[in-house]
């Protein structure tokens, strides 16, 4: 059985949702990230970076959220949560997953952990403020994508792995001072469509999360 090493309301929520969408049997293994488990020798054998999530699928041990998503969608291609390989639509799927993981998500990490880039209180506050401003600018790209005609979902007319990945990152803005992802004119209605999906609701309940979810 697939095992997902996870912690509630972290990036591991992305493959957690995907596993629910795919209807695959899986086991959740809670990682005590606040208790230092990420730095334990046992966990570092799974992921030498000491980060969540890790997926164990038989002999395969896989980390990096986008890689896990692509592995699962390839293994379950009939579920159609990613476009067919070799198509322009699949290329755009790669583009958006890369953008989400290396551009939007990394900027959000700067926002949540500004002390990694600065040492004085004033500098830390400045780094966090700049990161928040950058996130809001990046969200304009998502909003513009969803504003296109016939663009119910980020890749077009069909819900995909890109939508669930982006939803989790949008969730991370829910406590921003001022504007949040849900306040954008096209992101807001799209988020409501995603949150209406049973798989999303099951994950929110299983991870013990309270509303507002985004």
């Amino acid at each position: 059985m697939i095992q997902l090493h996870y912690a509630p309301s972290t990036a591991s929520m992305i493959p957690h949702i995907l596993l629910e969408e795919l209807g695959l049997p899986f086991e959740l293994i809670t990682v005590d990230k606040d208790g230092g488990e990420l730095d334990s020798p046992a966990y570092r054998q799974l992921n030498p970076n000491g980060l969540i999530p890790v997926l164990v699928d038989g002999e395969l041990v896989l980390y990096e959220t986008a890689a896990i998503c692509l592995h699962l969608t390839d293994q379950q291609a009939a579920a159609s949560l990613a476009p067919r390989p070799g198509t322009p639509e699949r290329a755009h799927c790669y583009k958006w997953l890369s953008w989400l993981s290396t551009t939007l998500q990394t900027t959000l990490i700067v926002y949540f952990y500004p002390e990694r880039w600065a040492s004085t209180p004033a500098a830390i506050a400045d780094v966090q403020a700049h990161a928040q401003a950058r996130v809001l600018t990046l969200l304009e790209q998502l909003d513009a994508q969803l504003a296109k005609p016939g663009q119910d979902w980020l890749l077009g007319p069909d819900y995909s792995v890109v939508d669930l990945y982006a939803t989790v990152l949008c969730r991370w803005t829910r406590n921003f001072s001022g504007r949040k992802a849900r306040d954008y004119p096209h992101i807001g209605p799209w988020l409501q469509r995603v949150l209406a999906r049973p798989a999303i609701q099951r994950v929110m309940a299983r991870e013990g999360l309270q509303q507002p979810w985004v």
Side-chain angles (χ1 to χ4, degrees), residues 118-152:
S119 55
T120 67
I124 289 171
D126 191 49
V127 167
Q128 187 174 55
H130 278 85
Q132 179 171 328
R134 175 63 175 158
V135 168
L136 295 177
T137 298
L138 292 171
L139 288 174
E140 292 175 4
Q141 294 184 46
L142 282 185
D143 201 62
Q145 177 72 2
L146 291 163
K148 295 178 180 178
Q151 201 80 20
D152 289 340

Short mmCIF file of all heavy atoms in Angstrom, two decimals, residues 118-152:
data_model
loop_
_atom_site.label_atom_id
_atom_site.label_comp_id
_atom_site.label_asym_id
_atom_site.label_seq_id
_atom_site.Cartn_x
_atom_site.Cartn_y
_atom_site.Cartn_z
N ALA A 118 17.10 37.03 7.04
CA ALA A 118 17.43 38.27 7.76
C ALA A 118 17.61 37.94 9.23
O ALA A 118 17.16 36.89 9.71
CB ALA A 118 16.34 39.31 7.55
N SER A 119 18.25 38.86 9.97
CA SER A 119 18.55 38.57 11.36
C SER A 119 17.96 39.57 12.35
O SER A 119 17.66 39.22 13.49
CB SER A 119 20.06 38.49 11.57
OG SER A 119 20.69 39.67 11.12
N THR A 120 17.78 40.82 11.95
CA THR A 120 17.22 41.81 12.87
C THR A 120 15.71 41.88 12.69
O THR A 120 15.18 41.57 11.62
CB THR A 120 17.81 43.20 12.62
OG1 THR A 120 17.38 43.67 11.33
CG2 THR A 120 19.33 43.15 12.64
N PRO A 121 14.97 42.27 13.74
CA PRO A 121 13.50 42.35 13.61
C PRO A 121 13.04 43.23 12.45
O PRO A 121 12.10 42.86 11.74
CB PRO A 121 13.08 42.94 14.96
CG PRO A 121 14.14 42.50 15.91
CD PRO A 121 15.42 42.54 15.13
N ALA A 122 13.70 44.36 12.24
CA ALA A 122 13.30 45.25 11.15
C ALA A 122 13.52 44.59 9.80
O ALA A 122 12.68 44.67 8.89
CB ALA A 122 14.05 46.57 11.25
N ALA A 123 14.66 43.93 9.65
CA ALA A 123 14.98 43.28 8.38
C ALA A 123 14.04 42.10 8.13
O ALA A 123 13.60 41.87 7.00
CB ALA A 123 16.43 42.82 8.37
N ILE A 124 13.73 41.37 9.18
CA ILE A 124 12.80 40.24 9.04
C ILE A 124 11.43 40.73 8.58
O ILE A 124 10.82 40.16 7.66
CB ILE A 124 12.69 39.47 10.37
CG1 ILE A 124 14.00 38.70 10.63
CG2 ILE A 124 11.50 38.52 10.37
CD1 ILE A 124 14.09 38.08 12.01
N ALA A 125 10.95 41.80 9.18
CA ALA A 125 9.65 42.36 8.78
C ALA A 125 9.68 42.85 7.35
O ALA A 125 8.70 42.69 6.60
CB ALA A 125 9.27 43.50 9.73
N ASP A 126 10.81 43.41 6.94
CA ASP A 126 10.93 43.91 5.57
C ASP A 126 10.91 42.76 4.56
O ASP A 126 10.25 42.83 3.52
CB ASP A 126 12.22 44.71 5.44
CG ASP A 126 12.29 45.49 4.14
OD1 ASP A 126 11.31 46.18 3.80
OD2 ASP A 126 13.33 45.41 3.45
N VAL A 127 11.64 41.68 4.87
CA VAL A 127 11.66 40.51 3.99
C VAL A 127 10.25 39.92 3.86
O VAL A 127 9.79 39.60 2.76
CB VAL A 127 12.64 39.44 4.53
CG1 VAL A 127 12.43 38.11 3.81
CG2 VAL A 127 14.08 39.92 4.36
N GLN A 128 9.55 39.82 4.98
CA GLN A 128 8.21 39.25 4.93
C GLN A 128 7.26 40.13 4.13
O GLN A 128 6.44 39.62 3.34
CB GLN A 128 7.67 39.05 6.34
CG GLN A 128 6.35 38.31 6.37
CD GLN A 128 5.89 37.98 7.76
OE1 GLN A 128 5.77 38.87 8.62
NE2 GLN A 128 5.64 36.70 8.04
N ALA A 129 7.35 41.43 4.30
CA ALA A 129 6.48 42.35 3.56
C ALA A 129 6.74 42.26 2.06
O ALA A 129 5.79 42.26 1.26
CB ALA A 129 6.69 43.78 4.05
N HIS A 130 8.01 42.19 1.68
CA HIS A 130 8.34 42.08 0.25
C HIS A 130 7.86 40.73 -0.31
O HIS A 130 7.38 40.67 -1.45
CB HIS A 130 9.84 42.24 0.04
CG HIS A 130 10.28 43.66 0.01
ND1 HIS A 130 10.56 44.39 1.15
CD2 HIS A 130 10.48 44.52 -1.03
CE1 HIS A 130 10.92 45.62 0.83
NE2 HIS A 130 10.88 45.73 -0.49
N ALA A 131 7.98 39.67 0.48
CA ALA A 131 7.51 38.36 0.02
C ALA A 131 6.00 38.36 -0.18
O ALA A 131 5.49 37.82 -1.18
CB ALA A 131 7.92 37.27 1.01
N GLN A 132 5.27 38.97 0.75
CA GLN A 132 3.81 39.02 0.60
C GLN A 132 3.43 39.80 -0.65
O GLN A 132 2.54 39.38 -1.40
CB GLN A 132 3.17 39.66 1.83
CG GLN A 132 1.65 39.76 1.71
CD GLN A 132 0.99 40.19 3.00
OE1 GLN A 132 1.47 39.89 4.10
NE2 GLN A 132 -0.13 40.90 2.90
N ALA A 133 4.09 40.91 -0.87
CA ALA A 133 3.80 41.71 -2.07
C ALA A 133 4.08 40.91 -3.33
O ALA A 133 3.32 40.98 -4.32
CB ALA A 133 4.61 43.00 -2.05
N ARG A 134 5.15 40.15 -3.32
CA ARG A 134 5.50 39.34 -4.48
C ARG A 134 4.47 38.24 -4.70
O ARG A 134 4.08 37.96 -5.85
CB ARG A 134 6.89 38.73 -4.28
CG ARG A 134 7.34 37.76 -5.35
CD ARG A 134 7.48 38.40 -6.71
NE ARG A 134 8.02 37.47 -7.69
CZ ARG A 134 7.86 37.58 -9.00
NH1 ARG A 134 7.20 38.62 -9.51
NH2 ARG A 134 8.39 36.70 -9.83
N VAL A 135 4.00 37.59 -3.64
CA VAL A 135 2.97 36.57 -3.77
C VAL A 135 1.72 37.16 -4.41
O VAL A 135 1.12 36.56 -5.32
CB VAL A 135 2.63 35.95 -2.39
CG1 VAL A 135 1.36 35.11 -2.47
CG2 VAL A 135 3.79 35.10 -1.89
N LEU A 136 1.31 38.33 -3.96
CA LEU A 136 0.11 38.95 -4.51
C LEU A 136 0.28 39.27 -5.99
O LEU A 136 -0.67 39.13 -6.78
CB LEU A 136 -0.23 40.21 -3.72
CG LEU A 136 -0.62 39.98 -2.25
CD1 LEU A 136 -0.85 41.31 -1.55
CD2 LEU A 136 -1.85 39.10 -2.13
N THR A 137 1.48 39.66 -6.39
CA THR A 137 1.75 39.91 -7.81
C THR A 137 1.68 38.60 -8.60
O THR A 137 1.10 38.55 -9.70
CB THR A 137 3.12 40.55 -7.99
OG1 THR A 137 3.14 41.82 -7.31
CG2 THR A 137 3.45 40.78 -9.46
N LEU A 138 2.24 37.53 -8.05
CA LEU A 138 2.20 36.24 -8.73
C LEU A 138 0.77 35.73 -8.87
O LEU A 138 0.41 35.12 -9.88
CB LEU A 138 3.05 35.22 -7.96
CG LEU A 138 4.56 35.47 -7.97
CD1 LEU A 138 5.25 34.53 -6.99
CD2 LEU A 138 5.13 35.31 -9.36
N LEU A 139 -0.06 35.98 -7.87
CA LEU A 139 -1.44 35.53 -7.95
C LEU A 139 -2.21 36.21 -9.08
O LEU A 139 -3.20 35.66 -9.58
CB LEU A 139 -2.15 35.78 -6.62
CG LEU A 139 -1.73 34.86 -5.46
CD1 LEU A 139 -2.39 35.31 -4.16
CD2 LEU A 139 -2.08 33.40 -5.76
N GLU A 140 -1.74 37.35 -9.52
CA GLU A 140 -2.37 38.00 -10.67
C GLU A 140 -2.25 37.12 -11.91
O GLU A 140 -3.12 37.14 -12.78
CB GLU A 140 -1.73 39.37 -10.91
CG GLU A 140 -2.04 40.39 -9.82
CD GLU A 140 -1.32 41.70 -10.02
OE1 GLU A 140 -0.62 41.85 -11.06
OE2 GLU A 140 -1.44 42.59 -9.16
N GLN A 141 -1.17 36.34 -12.00
CA GLN A 141 -1.02 35.43 -13.14
C GLN A 141 -2.08 34.32 -13.10
O GLN A 141 -2.66 33.97 -14.13
CB GLN A 141 0.38 34.81 -13.15
CG GLN A 141 1.49 35.79 -13.41
CD GLN A 141 2.84 35.11 -13.50
OE1 GLN A 141 2.99 34.07 -14.17
NE2 GLN A 141 3.84 35.66 -12.84
N LEU A 142 -2.33 33.79 -11.90
CA LEU A 142 -3.38 32.78 -11.78
C LEU A 142 -4.74 33.38 -12.13
O LEU A 142 -5.54 32.76 -12.83
CB LEU A 142 -3.43 32.22 -10.36
CG LEU A 142 -2.40 31.19 -9.93
CD1 LEU A 142 -2.72 30.71 -8.52
CD2 LEU A 142 -2.36 30.01 -10.88
N ASP A 143 -4.98 34.57 -11.63
CA ASP A 143 -6.27 35.20 -11.88
C ASP A 143 -6.45 35.47 -13.37
O ASP A 143 -7.55 35.25 -13.92
CB ASP A 143 -6.36 36.51 -11.09
CG ASP A 143 -7.79 36.96 -10.89
OD1 ASP A 143 -8.56 36.22 -10.24
OD2 ASP A 143 -8.16 38.04 -11.40
N ALA A 144 -5.39 35.91 -14.03
CA ALA A 144 -5.48 36.17 -15.48
C ALA A 144 -5.71 34.88 -16.25
O ALA A 144 -6.45 34.86 -17.25
CB ALA A 144 -4.20 36.85 -15.96
N GLN A 145 -5.11 33.78 -15.81
CA GLN A 145 -5.32 32.49 -16.47
C GLN A 145 -6.78 32.07 -16.36
O GLN A 145 -7.39 31.59 -17.33
CB GLN A 145 -4.41 31.44 -15.84
CG GLN A 145 -4.57 30.03 -16.37
CD GLN A 145 -4.04 29.84 -17.78
OE1 GLN A 145 -3.50 30.76 -18.39
NE2 GLN A 145 -4.20 28.64 -18.31
N LEU A 146 -7.36 32.26 -15.19
CA LEU A 146 -8.74 31.86 -14.97
C LEU A 146 -9.74 32.80 -15.62
O LEU A 146 -10.92 32.46 -15.77
CB LEU A 146 -9.01 31.77 -13.46
CG LEU A 146 -8.30 30.61 -12.75
CD1 LEU A 146 -8.27 30.83 -11.25
CD2 LEU A 146 -8.97 29.28 -13.09
N ALA A 147 -9.27 33.99 -16.00
CA ALA A 147 -10.16 34.97 -16.65
C ALA A 147 -10.38 34.67 -18.13
O ALA A 147 -11.28 35.26 -18.75
CB ALA A 147 -9.58 36.37 -16.48
N LYS A 148 -9.59 33.77 -18.69
CA LYS A 148 -9.73 33.48 -20.12
C LYS A 148 -11.06 32.79 -20.41
O LYS A 148 -11.59 32.07 -19.56
CB LYS A 148 -8.57 32.58 -20.57
CG LYS A 148 -7.21 33.24 -20.48
CD LYS A 148 -6.10 32.27 -20.88
CE LYS A 148 -4.74 32.93 -20.79
NZ LYS A 148 -3.64 31.98 -21.14
N PRO A 149 -11.63 33.01 -21.59
CA PRO A 149 -12.91 32.37 -21.94
C PRO A 149 -12.83 30.85 -21.85
O PRO A 149 -11.86 30.23 -22.29
CB PRO A 149 -13.15 32.82 -23.38
CG PRO A 149 -12.36 34.09 -23.52
CD PRO A 149 -11.15 33.91 -22.65
N GLY A 150 -13.84 30.24 -21.24
CA GLY A 150 -13.89 28.79 -21.13
C GLY A 150 -12.91 28.20 -20.14
O GLY A 150 -12.69 26.99 -20.12
N GLN A 151 -12.32 29.05 -19.29
CA GLN A 151 -11.27 28.61 -18.38
C GLN A 151 -11.86 28.35 -17.00
O GLN A 151 -11.58 29.07 -16.04
CB GLN A 151 -10.16 29.67 -18.31
CG GLN A 151 -8.83 29.15 -17.83
CD GLN A 151 -8.06 28.43 -18.92
OE1 GLN A 151 -8.30 28.60 -20.09
NE2 GLN A 151 -7.11 27.62 -18.51
N ASP A 152 -12.68 27.32 -16.88
CA ASP A 152 -13.22 26.97 -15.57
C ASP A 152 -12.13 26.49 -14.63
O ASP A 152 -12.22 26.66 -13.42
CB ASP A 152 -14.29 25.88 -15.71
CG ASP A 152 -15.57 26.41 -16.34
OD1 ASP A 152 -15.78 27.63 -16.33
OD2 ASP A 152 -16.35 25.59 -16.86
#
